[in-house]
Amino acid sequence: MKTIDELLHEGVEGKRVFVRADLNVPLDGTTITDDGRIRAVVPTVEALARAGARVVVASHLGRPKGAPDPAFSLAPAATRLGELLGAEVAFATDTVGESARATVAGLADGQVAVIENLRFNAGETSKDDAERGAFADALASLADLYVGDGFGAVHRKHASVFDLPARLPHAAGYLIATEVGVLKKLTEDVQRPYAVVLGGSKVSDKLGVIDHLLERADRILIGGGMAYTFLKAQGHEVGSSLLQEDQIPAVLEYLKRAEDKGVEFVLPVDVVVSAQFPDLKSKAPTEHRTVPADAMPAGFMGLDNGPETNKLYASKLADAATVFWNGPMGVFEHADYAEGTKAVAQALVDSPAFTVVGGGDSAAAVRTLGFDENAFGHISTGGGASLEYLEGKKLPGLVALED
């Protein structure tokens, strides 16, 4: 896989360089609530601009249905990128149309443009190779070189991720090089003990990664909504908690495999419950209480790990040499149910281990709860991509960057 440093050494002055970034940031109207993904691509864009390239940045945002939708415009992201670069960033109001062509043609050496949301064109996500290829052809006409740096999208077989690199000389940006290097430390040369913390809402989202990690991890800690399917599998009452009953057979199989392989599987010993889901807009205080995980009352739902679980999980992470964490422990967006997620984050901060926060909601939680990002070994920009890599899958966007 060619690196951006090799590309820079060959020379990019005066060349149009298409940078497939991941600017898929959360928005409240037109206000960006977490700019982590934009900041992550800045080193690549800055390096290219300093070397005299004419940089064309492209990304998706949200899930528009193959047509323009103002709610998913990349305009706020383009503005924020300009602020971070300390330079004006031009913005094209379409992907491959008149505005994109004119905007790119108007770039001088060292200048940067962002084109509109790639998913405003149905060809970006089409399952039809010809339709996807036609969009990739149109994108290729805007550039001389391609740099893949949108790690959060490399698990998608989309036109700008998979098809476009085949049409242009290509290289991996700094972010993708960093992300792949980190993931290799979690799969190929792991320092032990290796502890994995998995949370989030659904067991089904994590089955593949659990299956793969059972061959590699020493300890797997489970929290969040997915924990209740594990507790139910053990025969415990889980009230009205999130439950995927159809996944219980798979969960039982994993628990048995973990026991056979000597992998320690750690589940909550106490949980914070409420009779109703909290209002995440008003953040109003709720009625809640802590109960043993094996004695949840009917009609109540588990919404966070309890204090004894938080102590237990901290102790299980204290002596680890490598820790991977993906998925919050509870409804961290509400103060009443944020302590479990906060406790895991703090345990990682306190640990001397190589710690990796696996993107998505976990990365958002770290920032929302006020932790210093530099206190962690690495915070990934791609939750889904990280998990699929750890499952052992070939990621289309990485395959496309191979020579």
Side-chain angles (χ1 to χ4, degrees):
M1 186 183 291
K2 180 184 272 189
T3 67
I4 185 174
D5 284 333
E6 292 175 82
L7 200 67
L8 292 167
H9 181 72
E10 292 169 1
V12 295
E13 186 175 2
K15 294 183 178 179
R16 301 168 302 163
V17 182
F18 188 103
V19 177
R20 199 337 178 156
D22 179 9
L23 309 180
N24 185 27
V25 291
L27 294 172
D28 181 3
T30 59
T31 301
I32 297 169
T33 58
D34 181 355
D35 68 354
R37 284 176 169 163
I38 302 175
R39 285 186 283 115
V41 79
V42 166
T44 290
V45 174
E46 273 186 334
L48 289 166
R50 277 198 308 267
R54 303 176 182 195
V55 187
V56 182
V57 181
S59 176
H60 70 287
L61 191 152
R63 299 193 178 197
K65 298 179 179 179
D69 183 337
F72 297 107
S73 175
L74 277 175
T79 299
R80 181 59 181 147
L81 179 61
E83 292 169 352
L84 292 167
L85 292 170
E88 185 178 349
V89 169
F91 181 66
T93 56
D94 57 27
T95 56
V96 292
E98 185 178 337
S99 178
R101 291 192 298 272
T103 301
V104 173
L107 290 175
D109 294 358
Q111 290 187 330
V112 180
V114 173
I115 62 174
E116 187 55 284
N117 191 336
L118 293 165
R119 291 186 183 175
F120 285 2
N121 189 303
E124 169 68 0
T125 59
S126 176
K127 292 190 179 354
D128 181 80
D129 291 349
E131 184 179 14
R132 219 174 48 247
F135 185 48
D137 287 338
L139 291 172
S141 71
L142 299 174
D144 306 302
L145 303 168
Y146 176 94
V147 172
D149 215 30
F151 181 74
V154 293
H155 58 315
R156 307 295 187 193
K157 192 177 180 181
H158 290 169
S160 66
V161 175
F162 179 75
D163 302 271
L164 183 54
R167 288 158 167 79
L168 295 170
H170 50 266
Y174 291 124
L175 174 62
I176 279 187
T178 298
E179 294 273 13
V180 171
V182 166
L183 288 167
K184 284 184 176 177
K185 288 185 180 180
L186 298 178
T187 53
E188 295 176 14
D189 186 24
V190 182
Q191 299 298 306
R192 299 187 179 280
Y194 178 18
V196 176
V197 187
L198 296 175
S201 58
K202 294 180 179 179
V203 174
S204 55
D205 291 343
K206 305 287 196 302
L207 285 179
V209 75
I210 294 172
D211 182 68
H212 208 64
L213 288 169
L214 279 171
E215 306 296 326
R216 290 160 179 78
D218 299 301
R219 233 170 262 159
I220 300 177
L221 287 61
I222 301 292
M226 63 185 287
Y228 303 103
T229 301
F230 280 87
L231 291 169
K232 183 71 172 180
Q234 291 184 327
H236 303 311
E237 170 65 51
V238 296
S240 57
S241 303
L242 191 61
L243 174 65
Q244 286 187 288
E245 211 147 357
D246 61 321
Q247 301 299 328
I248 287 177
V251 163
L252 287 170
E253 180 197 339
Y254 288 153
L255 290 171
K256 177 67 167 60
R257 277 177 58 198
E259 184 180 0
D260 292 344
K261 290 180 174 296
V263 177
E264 189 177 5
F265 232 99
V266 189
L267 296 173
V269 294
D270 63 343
V271 293
V272 181
V273 300
S274 179
Q276 60 185 29
F277 197 83
D279 186 334
L280 299 182
K281 286 191 175 179
S282 72
K283 312 279 181 152
T286 63
E287 287 190 20
H288 59 278
R289 53 187 161 123
T290 302
V291 299
D294 60 359
M296 290 181 61
F300 282 73
M301 64 182 74
L303 296 170
D304 196 15
N305 287 347
E308 293 306 312
T309 301
N310 295 340
K311 290 179 195 171
L312 172 65
Y313 284 19
S315 72
K316 297 294 182 182
L317 297 173
D319 68 340
T322 304
V323 181
F324 173 71
W325 170 33
N326 181 279
M329 299 293 100
V331 186
F332 73 90
E333 301 92 339
H334 194 287
D336 290 346
Y337 310 104
E339 290 304 314
T341 302
K342 198 180 295 183
V344 167
Q346 188 63 54
L348 267 64
V349 168
D350 295 340
S351 171
F354 175 61
T355 56
V356 179
V357 180
D361 287 342
S362 314
V366 163
R367 298 183 184 109
T368 299
L369 298 173
F371 286 91
D372 179 1
E373 293 180 46
N374 295 320
F376 303 88
H378 179 69
I379 298 179
S380 178
T381 57
S386 295
L387 289 177
E388 290 198 17
Y389 190 101
L390 292 178
E391 287 177 37
K393 291 182 177 179
K394 293 285 187 185
L395 306 188
L398 297 185
V399 171
L401 291 175
E402 297 288 350
D403 293 327

